[in-house]
Amino acid sequence: MVMNYIWDLLIQAEEEGFLTKDIYFHLAKIYSPYMELSPQLLNSQEIEQHVEVNPYYRYFDIFKDLFHPDHTTDEAFRDALLDITLHFLAEIDRMQGLNKKEYYIRFMLRDIEANVFGKLVRDKIKSFSKKEQEIIALNMLRLYQTGEALYLIKDTLKNIFRNCFIYVKSEENDELLLYIHQKKTIENINKVQLIQEIFLPIGFQMEVYWQYHFGIIDVEETMKLDRIALY
């Protein structure tokens, strides 16, 4: 199981004999917006004393001004303040448990498992990793709040399939053209079908192209022999 939260890491560190004061949190240079911890090796289970963190994942309002690009002084002080504050927040997490958003995500995933959204969704959610399932559930919550289905299907696809392109074709019929720079596997098909089932707006259709992009006139990268799909 991949650790994602500061409290999760501190619990495991204590189980391995570390003191929490020996763990130092630092602002990550490169991080995912969907993860709190930013280890160099994503699946690593080893505890390191210096841990890179995305503090904006859950605590944007607290840290939004701490590392503003215009602030170039007192870097050591700001680093120390980040470390102290994150240790304090981790202890609050451990006392209070999950935050509201994480509760909602768990409730949504529980409803999916209980067949509330249909058999297709219940069966195909198993093709997603735990983190991908959380992305799906979070965007389902956002769909209830905003109703922006077209935006959210694009956002979900781009977060699940990193190398994909989405085109909206609305001249005659509302249609999405989706290109995924991956092989057409059963797992990937299941993922696309679930995303369509949940987020595709009523009246829209979606054509999916795998591995090879369809040709676009004047775009040389899409007009290579033996590497082009027909539309």
Side-chain angles (χ1 to χ4, degrees):
M1 180 177 177
V2 178
M3 293 178 293
N4 185 34
Y5 303 103
I6 53 177
W7 58 265
D8 191 14
L9 181 139
L10 291 180
I11 290 173
Q12 184 164 331
E14 288 182 347
E15 291 176 350
E16 296 188 14
F18 289 90
L19 298 176
T20 56
K21 68 181 182 64
D22 294 329
I23 305 295
Y24 300 93
F25 295 116
H26 305 277
L27 177 68
K29 295 181 175 63
I30 300 175
Y31 54 81
S32 166
Y34 296 100
M35 295 185 66
E36 191 161 83
L37 302 181
S38 298
Q40 292 184 349
L41 298 176
L42 184 61
N43 295 317
S44 175
Q45 295 296 303
E46 295 184 4
I47 298 297
E48 298 181 358
Q49 288 184 265
H50 292 271
V51 182
E52 291 194 336
V53 177
N54 168 18
Y56 311 117
Y57 178 69
R58 289 189 295 156
Y59 305 116
F60 176 80
D61 289 340
I62 296 175
F63 296 107
K64 62 182 178 181
D65 297 320
L66 186 60
F67 294 98
H68 193 281
D70 293 337
H71 297 168
T72 57
T73 60
D74 301 321
E75 184 175 348
F77 171 77
R78 288 184 282 124
D79 286 340
L81 182 60
L82 174 72
D83 178 56
I84 293 170
T85 306
L86 284 177
H87 273 279
F88 177 73
L89 292 170
E91 289 304 315
I92 293 176
D93 275 343
R94 294 173 66 175
M95 289 186 291
Q96 294 185 340
L98 301 174
N99 65 26
K100 184 185 294 185
K101 182 180 74 173
E102 290 163 338
Y103 271 115
Y104 286 160
I105 288 174
R106 291 198 174 194
F107 291 154
M108 186 66 73
L109 292 174
R110 186 186 64 185
D111 286 347
I112 290 174
E113 183 64 27
N115 208 23
V116 172
F117 299 97
K119 185 176 184 298
L120 184 148
V121 175
R122 183 196 65 189
D123 292 344
K124 297 187 183 299
I125 196 69
K126 299 172 185 176
S127 296
F128 294 81
S129 68
K130 181 178 183 296
K131 183 49 57 180
E132 289 173 339
Q133 290 181 12
E134 291 178 356
I135 292 172
I136 295 293
L138 178 60
N139 274 357
M140 289 174 71
L141 292 169
R142 295 169 68 190
L143 181 63
Y144 280 114
Q145 294 168 347
T146 68
E148 294 290 341
L150 191 58
Y151 168 80
L152 287 169
I153 191 173
K154 294 179 183 179
D155 182 76
T156 306
L157 286 166
K158 286 184 176 295
N159 280 298
I160 300 300
F161 300 103
R162 295 298 181 178
N163 297 314
C164 77
F165 295 92
I166 306 159
Y167 306 89
V168 180
K169 182 177 180 293
S170 304
E171 295 175 358
E172 298 177 358
N173 298 312
D174 291 327
E175 184 177 16
L176 294 180
L177 305 181
L178 170 63
Y179 163 66
I180 300 176
H181 188 50
Q182 295 183 21
K183 292 184 178 180
K184 185 179 181 181
T185 64
I186 296 298
E187 182 179 84
N188 284 337
I189 291 173
N190 287 340
K191 291 180 179 181
V192 170
Q193 288 178 343
L194 181 142
I195 293 170
Q196 282 183 279
E197 179 73 12
I198 295 174
F199 298 105
L200 188 66
I202 296 175
F204 270 77
Q205 295 184 347
M206 187 165 73
E207 290 288 337
V208 184
Y209 296 85
W210 300 92
Q211 197 167 359
Y212 299 121
H213 201 291
F214 50 84
I216 301 177
I217 297 175
D218 295 330
V219 180
E220 183 177 349
E221 291 79 4
T222 69
M223 300 293 284
K224 296 180 180 180
L225 292 176
D226 297 326
R227 298 184 62 186
I228 184 173
L230 297 179
Y231 169 65

